[in-house]
Amino acid sequence: MSTQRTVGIGAGAKELATEDMVLNIGPQHPSTHGVLRLRLTLDGERITAAEPIVGYMHRGAEKLFEVRDFRQIIVLANRHDWLSAFSSELGVVLAVERMLGMEVPARATWTRTLLAELNRVLNHLMFLGSYPLEVGAITPIFYAFRERETLQRVMEEVAGGRMHYMFNRVGGLKEELPAGWTDRVRQAVKDVRSRMSEISDLIMGNEIFRARTRGVGVLTREQVLQYGVSGPLARAAGVDFDLRRDEPYLAYGELDVRVVTRAEGDCLARFECLLDQVHASLDLADACLDRMADLPPGPINQRLPKVLKVPEGHTYAWTENPLGINGYYLVSRGEKTPWRLKLRSASYNNVQVLTELLPGTLVADMIAILGSMFFVVGDIDK
């Protein structure tokens, strides 16, 4: 018969052969990316059980959707994953447009696709810089933020915001693009692509980084399918699925979407997927710019009535967000507010697999594994 002793980080405990130590990581801890709590059961230095405890950041966004009209809910939808704000807005407007049977102007469709890929690169650059920081490498984050600022400059120019863009509207985009903006985007994409090798060489050539990540935190294909894990985490475990290619939306059906996969499923494979995805997204951005240059002049949005009401019914829209699949289940009763808008966020599913991923690993490897899950706490506690 054994007993349990619960301690906090830094607390001392007299170790007995018959005791299991229960260690709480978080909810305020640098490696948990916010207020996520992990309850670990330890046998010496090895984790025997892990329980992610969520909800510390819960803001009731789904309930707030029900008392906001279809224009106002966009501002709530882009905040749960603050690194992917533009992509998070898309799911809402796509669901509403589907319910309305609305056809969006071609220029809006291609511009949305371009901005979604730029937002994807911004998201990935954040994790490409912050993950090495968690395993002891401080320099890469400065390189990653230099590239982020290059892209943020053109995103801020077109939308007016740096994180919460609020540039999507039901029927298209907020307003016309600034004169010469596409040329500046093309130059920004070129500059970022030319310097990505510096980040790659700095990190991938580091023996310590590879030693801390290779063969650590292996996620199997079966676990991915059981837990609904998606995005770079799933593709790093050999699950070749990407909504942009397999169930196209926006203009992805007319683009050659390269899906990056790995078979190993470890921390290193997840990082490599993220790194290669940046190059794939930059290629898609260039393809969008080429197509936009050939489009004839035209509107970038649809004229909407002063009070927008969605017909009674329901629909489900899903998008390939930077962190994985986001789903939006919209139910309308013909009013100006949704009766129900259920959000399926990528991070919520992705973080649940820690229950199976962490047991058997060392406490020292827990930080490396946690960082490689690439989650945003607000996306869990939406």
Side-chain angles (χ1 to χ4, degrees):
M1 183 175 178
S2 65
T3 60
Q4 285 190 347
R5 173 179 293 175
T6 303
V7 299
I9 296 177
K14 181 181 179 182
E15 293 189 11
L16 300 175
T18 57
E19 284 190 350
D20 289 330
M21 177 182 287
V22 178
L23 185 66
N24 284 290
I25 305 293
Q28 282 80 31
H29 192 275
S31 67
T32 60
H33 296 264
V35 283
L36 172 70
R37 176 182 164 205
L38 288 176
R39 188 175 186 270
L40 308 177
T41 304
L42 307 180
D43 179 10
E45 287 293 313
R46 199 165 293 277
I47 300 170
T48 58
E51 179 188 4
I53 301 173
V54 303
Y56 289 90
M57 207 178 197
H58 182 59
R59 292 157 291 165
E62 290 181 1
K63 201 65 184 173
L64 292 174
F65 289 156
E66 299 172 12
V67 291
R68 303 292 194 279
D69 67 34
F70 291 99
R71 294 180 176 92
Q72 294 170 326
I73 58 177
I74 298 173
V75 77
L76 293 172
N78 74 17
R79 277 165 164 72
H80 56 88
D81 177 1
W82 45 81
L83 296 179
S84 314
F86 186 86
S87 301
S88 298
E89 296 171 9
L90 275 175
V92 174
V93 295
L94 289 175
V96 175
E97 287 162 3
R98 183 180 299 174
M99 292 278 284
L100 291 169
M102 180 180 291
E103 185 174 347
V104 176
R107 290 185 65 239
T109 299
W110 282 97
T111 307
R112 280 177 173 178
T113 310
L114 169 63
L115 291 170
E117 291 307 309
L118 294 179
N119 194 197
R120 193 180 310 275
V121 175
L122 286 169
N123 175 289
H124 292 355
L125 282 170
M126 172 62 79
F127 286 109
L128 290 173
S130 65
Y131 181 50
L133 186 65
E134 297 187 15
V135 292
I138 191 173
T139 307
I141 198 166
F142 299 112
Y143 285 79
F145 264 78
R146 177 188 63 184
E147 308 314 320
R148 274 179 56 87
E149 284 302 315
T150 301
L151 295 177
Q152 284 281 33
R153 193 172 298 115
V154 293
M155 292 291 282
E156 185 177 7
E157 180 185 358
V158 73
R162 289 177 58 84
M163 289 186 68
H164 304 300
Y165 302 108
M166 272 301 293
F167 197 55
N168 273 295
R169 294 292 187 274
V170 175
L173 296 169
K174 177 186 175 185
E175 58 194 6
E176 187 56 68
L177 306 176
W181 179 77
T182 53
D183 294 333
R184 291 187 286 277
V185 174
R186 192 180 293 276
Q187 185 60 48
V189 169
K190 180 181 177 181
D191 291 343
V192 171
R193 181 186 284 109
S194 68
R195 296 193 295 250
M196 281 304 298
S197 60
E198 297 178 18
I199 299 177
S200 177
D201 295 343
L202 187 66
I203 303 170
M204 301 309 296
N206 188 296
E207 294 180 7
I208 299 174
F209 179 81
R210 299 183 76 88
R212 290 291 308 274
T213 56
R214 187 192 289 118
V216 175
V218 177
L219 186 63
T220 65
R221 177 184 174 86
E222 290 70 26
Q223 290 170 334
V224 167
L225 299 177
Q226 288 169 353
Y227 280 83
V229 174
S230 58
L233 274 66
R235 293 191 284 272
V239 178
D240 187 8
F241 181 72
D242 191 310
L243 286 176
R244 295 172 298 168
R245 179 197 64 190
D246 301 323
E247 291 198 23
Y249 57 98
L250 295 181
Y252 289 115
E254 302 180 47
L255 294 171
D256 180 17
V257 179
R258 180 167 66 91
V259 179
V260 179
T261 60
R262 292 289 187 278
E264 297 83 0
D266 57 9
C267 293
L268 183 60
R270 292 191 279 273
F271 188 85
E272 288 175 341
C273 269
L274 216 63
L275 189 60
D276 288 350
Q277 182 61 63
V278 169
H279 293 281
S281 292
L282 292 174
D283 291 341
L284 287 174
D286 273 338
C288 289
L289 288 167
D290 291 340
R291 182 58 186 272
M292 289 169 65
D294 296 334
L295 289 176
I300 204 162
N301 51 35
Q302 293 273 24
R303 291 182 63 87
L304 298 176
K306 187 174 182 180
V307 177
L308 179 63
K309 293 185 177 182
V310 171
E312 186 172 351
H314 61 91
T315 191
Y316 183 77
W318 58 350
T319 58
E320 187 70 41
N321 268 39
L323 298 181
I325 294 174
N326 269 27
Y328 302 83
Y329 179 57
L330 173 62
V331 182
S332 173
R333 289 188 171 176
E335 301 170 350
K336 66 177 183 179
T337 61
W339 183 78
R340 182 80 168 93
L341 180 55
K342 168 65 179 172
L343 170 62
R344 187 266 192 213
S345 63
S347 296
Y348 184 82
N349 284 68
N350 291 357
V351 82
Q352 301 304 317
V353 79
L354 288 170
T355 303
E356 290 196 27
L357 194 58
L358 288 177
T361 63
L362 297 172
V363 176
D365 289 331
M366 184 270 296
I367 304 299
I369 296 170
L370 195 61
S372 73
M373 301 307 285
F374 309 132
F375 59 86
V376 172
V377 176
D379 202 37
I380 301 170
D381 299 338
K382 71 276 186 187

